[in-house]
Amino acid sequence: MKKINEIFYSIQGEGGKAGTPAIFVRFSGCNLKCPFCDTTHENGKLMTDDEIAAEIAKYHAELVILTGGEPSLFIDNQLINKIHKLGKIIAIETNGTCKINGGIDYITLSPKFEFTRNAELKIDHCNELKVIFNGKNDMSLYNNINAEKRFLQPCDVGDYEENKKITAQAVEYCLNHPEWRLSLQIHKIIGVR
């Protein structure tokens, strides 16, 4: 049994797959306490792998995104195999503090170094690195992460003026460090989940 916060169908709003229709499997529970987290971890429903797969099968999208919370705390080969048998591509959004089982097709690593100074990354390669940028990040901490793509995502602090300031700083950082690409949360901009 796995505690699932929600399973829903929308578009990926962030990173390299932004705009892609996707089935989101949001797990309840995390090993970090980030102040900007959009998951209520107290909520959730215990589901079997078969129930999760049946819910995923309701949607025609090819991409399944395992998110959370921290999905790597809960996923296993049985669930991965059931999702693959549906003909789906599996992506994960992870903070990187837990090892990822094989079978994941696309890894988005979003380390929270501001909250995990004592936790080492357990992932040595990712398809994309996504840094939640607040204007105060020590960006040198991300230099040695082996990533195919690097995204800087302005942190939504819930204040319009502060968000504008953080976004401007992120744009400036990308212009000065072109190995980084700006990632905006387009799902929030267009008003979908």
Side-chain angles (χ1 to χ4, degrees), residues 125-148:
H125 175 268
C126 61
N127 300 96
E128 66 181 56
L129 172 64
K130 180 178 71 175
V131 173
I132 308 300
F133 185 78
N134 64 12
K136 301 172 188 145
N137 305 68
D138 178 357
M139 295 301 292
S140 68
L141 295 172
Y142 305 95
N143 288 345
N144 295 323
I145 295 175
N146 183 3
E148 295 168 18

Side-chain angles (χ1 to χ4, degrees), residues 102-175:
I104 301 294
D105 302 302
Y106 193 88
I107 297 173
T108 298
L109 172 60
S110 185
K112 309 298 189 289
F113 288 133
E114 291 77 17
F115 308 102
T116 59
R117 290 279 181 189
N118 297 325
E120 71 178 78
L121 291 180
K122 307 287 183 171
I123 297 174
D124 57 10
H125 175 268
C126 61
N127 300 96
E128 66 181 56
L129 172 64
K130 180 178 71 175
V131 173
I132 308 300
F133 185 78
N134 64 12
K136 301 172 188 145
N137 305 68
D138 178 357
M139 295 301 292
S140 68
L141 295 172
Y142 305 95
N143 288 345
N144 295 323
I145 295 175
N146 183 3
E148 295 168 18
K149 300 174 190 163
R150 295 173 177 267
F151 290 93
L152 205 58
Q153 183 169 296
C155 185
D156 181 354
V157 297
D159 177 274
Y160 178 76
E161 290 302 320
E162 189 63 22
N163 285 351
K164 274 179 51 177
K165 181 179 165 186
I166 291 169
T167 300
Q169 290 173 321
V171 168
E172 185 68 23
Y173 191 86
C174 289
L175 290 172

Side-chain angles (χ1 to χ4, degrees), residues 17 19-20 32 41-42 46 55 58 68 75 80 94 99 103 113 116 132 151-152 168 173 184:
K17 294 196 177 294
T20 304
L32 303 180
H41 298 289
E42 297 78 33
L46 289 176
E55 192 64 28
K58 292 179 181 177
I75 60 172
I80 298 305
T94 178
K99 199 145 180 68
F113 288 133
T116 59
I132 308 300
F151 290 93
L152 205 58
Y173 191 86
L184 299 177

Side-chain angles (χ1 to χ4, degrees), residues 13-62:
E14 306 168 353
K17 294 196 177 294
T20 304
I23 304 146
F24 292 83
V25 179
R26 184 182 303 279
F27 290 83
S28 262
C30 189
N31 56 342
L32 303 180
K33 301 270 188 250
C34 301
F36 50 81
C37 184
D38 58 1
T39 301
T40 307
H41 298 289
E42 297 78 33
N43 296 342
K45 174 182 176 184
L46 289 176
M47 298 177 73
T48 66
D49 291 348
D50 287 333
E51 290 170 330
I52 295 167
E55 192 64 28
I56 290 169
K58 292 179 181 177
Y59 305 104
H60 298 295
E62 184 178 46

